[in-house]
Amino acid sequence: MAELMVDARSVRKSYGANQVLNGISLTVEQGEVLCIIGPSGSGKSTFLRCLNHLESINGGRIYVNDELMGYRQVGKVLHELKPKDIARQRQSIGMVFQRFNLFPHMTALQNVIEAPIGVAGVSAEDAKTLGLELLAQVDLADKADHYPAQLSGGQQQRVAIARALAMKPKLMLFDEPTSALDPELVGDVLDVMKNLAKAGMTMIVVTHEMGFAREVADKVVFIDKGLIVEQGTPKQVLDNPQESRTKAFLNKVL
Amino acid sequence: MVDSTDHSDDVVAVPLRHPARWIFGGVAALLLLSFIYAVASAKSIQYELVGKFLFDHRIIEGMGVTLFVTVVCMSFGTILATLLAIMKLSQNPIQRWLATGFIEFFRGTPLLLQIVFWGYLGIIFPQLVLGVPYTDIVFLSGDTSDLIPALVAGIIALSLNEAAYSAEIVRAGILAVDGGQVEAAKSLGMSSSYTMRKIVLPQAMRVIIPPMGNEFIGMLKNTSLLQLIAVAELYTAASTISSANLAQIELLIVSGFWYLVMTTVLGFPQRALEKRYGRGFESVGGRAAPRAFKVGRR
């Protein structure tokens, strides 16, 4: 068996009385692509944000690359880590957001190289080389000196992917990366993600793009009301769902 | 088919005309001119005295003090304001309370009162001792009036007051930055202080600078209040001269002129800063930024 990149065990999360995650357990192997699907409000984005501790959890454990994420376990209690330790853990996990969240006061290249220089301590020169390489990889070499406001949504999202890759992450999280895009711009972003998957990147993708899930995912998980309803290969979950809730959801989106 | 020889569609469009503007402008110009004439022809104002004192060395030196105090107080004030704003937005309730208490206190009492308080600190505490309480260890001690001369007292008063006011400006600027920015920074492994310095504050500057320009001008004029504790700034210099030669109006014109010159000149660096921090927010092709967010233009 290949090495586990993510091992989530009974992850629970609530906002006050509102239980968002009711014990989610799943594993992702190195090099695997996992797509998480489900209705809005099902907790799929929240779960993704728990993986790099943008959200704290109330119970359960998340191991990323054999490291307990965000906490230190003493007996039966998880103690939250200090911010600087969490920041260090996050360096090996890239994240791409629905609304891109590029830094608007920096050019595309500056967006990509800010963290390598300021966080990872890469020299400005090496970072620039790396940055231009990554921008070329997402097909935006000619846009290095453009500010985000000068780029289309699809271009911005590809810069955001390059920015996340610049920290040389072992795992990439995508939170509905194409939901905010005009339809004709979705394809370019998905192509970049497909190439990334082909290159062996471990990816967890919250998405409504069933075509992408079917083509690229090794595993699809359907989440509803904070629980995994069904999981399996894309064929099993998307083409031959067993649970009525999965069927109902797929009927609506396909 | 449209008949090509028919030229009835060959018309010219002109924008709405505004004859009332010309009338209004004329009336305003007339009123302004008559006011200028009234002031210029007033027998009681000796304009040769205005000319004589405009470049008097005491006035010029006073202006130097005014500028010095303004720059120093705005620097201290802004740094402290940023700290207060960050404290007020902190997760730590004690930091929040401290910052709120400071801001409420210094905004809630008149600036004049604060200046007099710091100026007369020596009456309340004749001796100042800096050391470890309940021990004999003393780092610094002496007469309050020696340790805190009027200039320093004035700078302390204006800086603390400024900090309280601009803390809210900085806080508003920080709050104007989209929450997704902090999340993106976190996801890249940036620490919270790095995120604040490199991601949040540079974007907040765009919102902070215009009201801070106001604060700068306000500060420049508020330094005249230091006359009460005898700091030799511009207004003090002017009133010292006028109390000797009894030419009050003439010296008011002199100091007023220089205040106006200084506040006008200060507008230039502000526009440069607005442009500097507006980078990436102006629209170049593509989707335009909302008009209200355009900076560097009037």
Side-chain angles (χ1 to χ4, degrees), chain A residues 49 52 54 87 90-91 93 95 97 99 101-106 114-115 118-119 147 149-150 163-164 167, chain B residues 178 180-181 183-192 194 198-199 202-203 279-285 287:
Chain A
R49 294 159 58 81
N52 66 349
L54 279 184
R90 285 188 184 124
Q91 287 178 34
I93 306 172
M95 187 161 194
F97 299 87
R99 285 171 52 244
N101 298 353
L102 286 182
F103 306 133
H105 58 305
M106 300 180 185
E114 182 63 37
V119 179
Y147 284 95
Q150 299 167 310
R163 177 177 70 176
M167 288 298 283
Chain B
D178 181 56
Q181 294 290 307
E183 290 193 342
K186 276 185 179 176
S187 78
L188 289 163
M190 293 179 188
S191 69
S192 45
Y194 190 91
K198 296 290 190 128
I199 308 300
Q203 292 183 60
R279 276 191 318 199
F281 288 92
E282 63 278 270
S283 69
V284 178
R287 238 170 303 181

Side-chain angles (χ1 to χ4, degrees), chain B residues 130-153:
Chain B
L130 183 65
V132 182
Y134 310 114
T135 65
D136 293 335
I137 303 166
V138 171
F139 303 117
L140 188 70
S141 76
D143 286 348
T144 304
S145 51
D146 294 341
L147 290 174
I148 306 183
L151 180 66
V152 177

Side-chain angles (χ1 to χ4, degrees), chain B residues 23-36:
Chain B
I23 298 167
F24 181 76
V27 172
L30 213 64
L31 286 172
L32 187 65
L33 281 173
S34 54
F35 175 72
I36 291 172

Side-chain angles (χ1 to χ4, degrees), chain A residues 185-226:
Chain A
L185 303 175
V186 169
D188 290 340
V189 172
L190 291 182
D191 284 344
V192 167
M193 291 169 64
K194 281 175 202 165
N195 287 336
L196 208 53
K198 264 187 225 144
M201 176 61 76
T202 313
M203 294 163 53
I204 302 181
V205 186
V206 170
T207 189
H208 293 293
E209 296 288 335
M210 297 304 154
F212 175 83
R214 186 171 287 135
E215 187 184 335
V216 182
D218 297 295
K219 191 155 67 181
V220 174
V221 169
F222 174 69
I223 291 182
D224 190 19
K225 300 198 173 95

